[in-house]
Amino acid sequence: MIIKNLTQEQVKTIYNNHMVNDFPASELKPLSMILKGMEKKIFECLGYVDEESGEILAYAVFVKNGNDYLFDYLAVISDSRNSGIGSSFLKQIAEHYKQADSVIGEVEDPVFAKDDEEKNLQERRIGFYKRNGYIDTNVRVKLFGVDFKVFEMNLGRKHSEEEIKQLYKSHYKKILPIFLYWRSVKIKK
């Protein structure tokens, strides 16, 4: 398996066939926003590709802001789940971004789950990231009404909570119109 930068056509296919099912509508950015961001080099979309077949087994979308990255989406294609592909992909992503200044991402906060099933799923996701070297930054946010914990990829240096908050704000100010940023991005104290 190798990591490849995805083309806009590949992103369109993944979005329409997978992302709309893999993520709640409340968390999914419009496809047009991702494609425009790719053109402006703000969004970086990666695929985890089987070298022999060329099949994309997993995908990730990052917001790029200088040498800092926000892990926006990660999913394994449904037919490849529960096979170790996700962990393998995360290891390759860590290698891919080893020269980055930071890589942060958000995971739904199970404290705010609507039921036990949702809470268990969110706790499993958090466990997955922790097992794969991600660090809970203790920063909590509310993004478009959804509560998240912010995690940081372990690149051998840990940022302070204040640095993480500033990085987080910087990423969203880069991709959202300012009125939408102020209305939709809340950093908790």
Side-chain angles (χ1 to χ4, degrees), residues 1-169:
M1 311 298 168
I2 59 169
I3 288 183
K4 287 191 173 182
N5 286 317
L6 298 175
T7 66
Q8 285 199 343
E9 284 306 311
Q10 289 171 314
V11 170
K12 286 179 191 175
T13 300
I14 287 170
Y15 188 96
N16 292 319
N17 295 336
H18 301 287
M19 289 180 78
V20 294
N21 298 314
D22 295 339
F23 296 94
S26 62
E27 295 178 26
L28 195 58
K29 290 175 180 59
L31 175 60
S32 60
M33 181 181 193
I34 295 171
L35 296 176
K36 285 178 187 170
M38 288 175 73
E39 288 173 9
K40 294 179 178 179
K41 307 273 190 238
I42 296 171
F43 282 99
E44 188 168 295
C45 302
L46 302 177
Y48 199 44
V49 180
D50 181 313
E51 288 182 271
E52 290 182 25
S53 69
E55 181 182 2
I56 298 170
L57 303 175
Y59 61 89
V61 178
F62 293 86
V63 176
K64 183 180 189 310
N65 191 4
N67 200 29
D68 296 299
Y69 296 84
L70 171 68
F71 209 144
D72 214 11
Y73 300 103
L74 169 83
V76 175
I77 302 300
S78 58
D79 294 344
S80 299
R81 290 187 183 143
N82 300 314
S83 64
I85 295 287
S87 291
S88 179
F89 189 29
L90 279 181
K91 287 180 180 120
Q92 292 291 322
I93 288 170
E95 182 63 25
H96 183 79
Y97 288 120
K98 68 181 177 188
Q99 299 302 320
D101 291 332
S102 70
V103 179
I104 61 173
E106 63 248 319
V107 181
E108 288 173 302
D109 191 337
V111 168
F112 300 96
K114 67 179 184 238
D115 56 39
D116 286 342
E117 183 180 344
E118 185 175 274
K119 183 176 183 170
N120 289 336
L121 177 63
Q122 292 169 356
E123 287 175 343
R124 281 191 4 245
R125 284 185 189 138
I126 288 170
F128 169 74
Y129 284 105
K130 285 183 173 181
R131 281 190 309 279
N132 285 285
Y134 284 73
I135 303 162
D136 186 345
T137 65
N138 295 316
V139 174
R140 303 295 180 259
V141 299
K142 185 174 233 128
L143 180 65
F144 292 97
V146 180
D147 293 279
F148 291 97
K149 292 181 169 194
V150 179
F151 281 77
E152 180 175 21
M153 181 185 290
N154 185 350
L155 296 172
R157 55 201 168 277
K158 187 176 185 305
H159 293 85
S160 70
E161 286 181 34
E162 193 53 43
E163 288 171 321
I164 294 296
K165 289 176 184 178
Q166 293 307 315
L167 286 165
Y168 192 84
K169 290 176 187 178

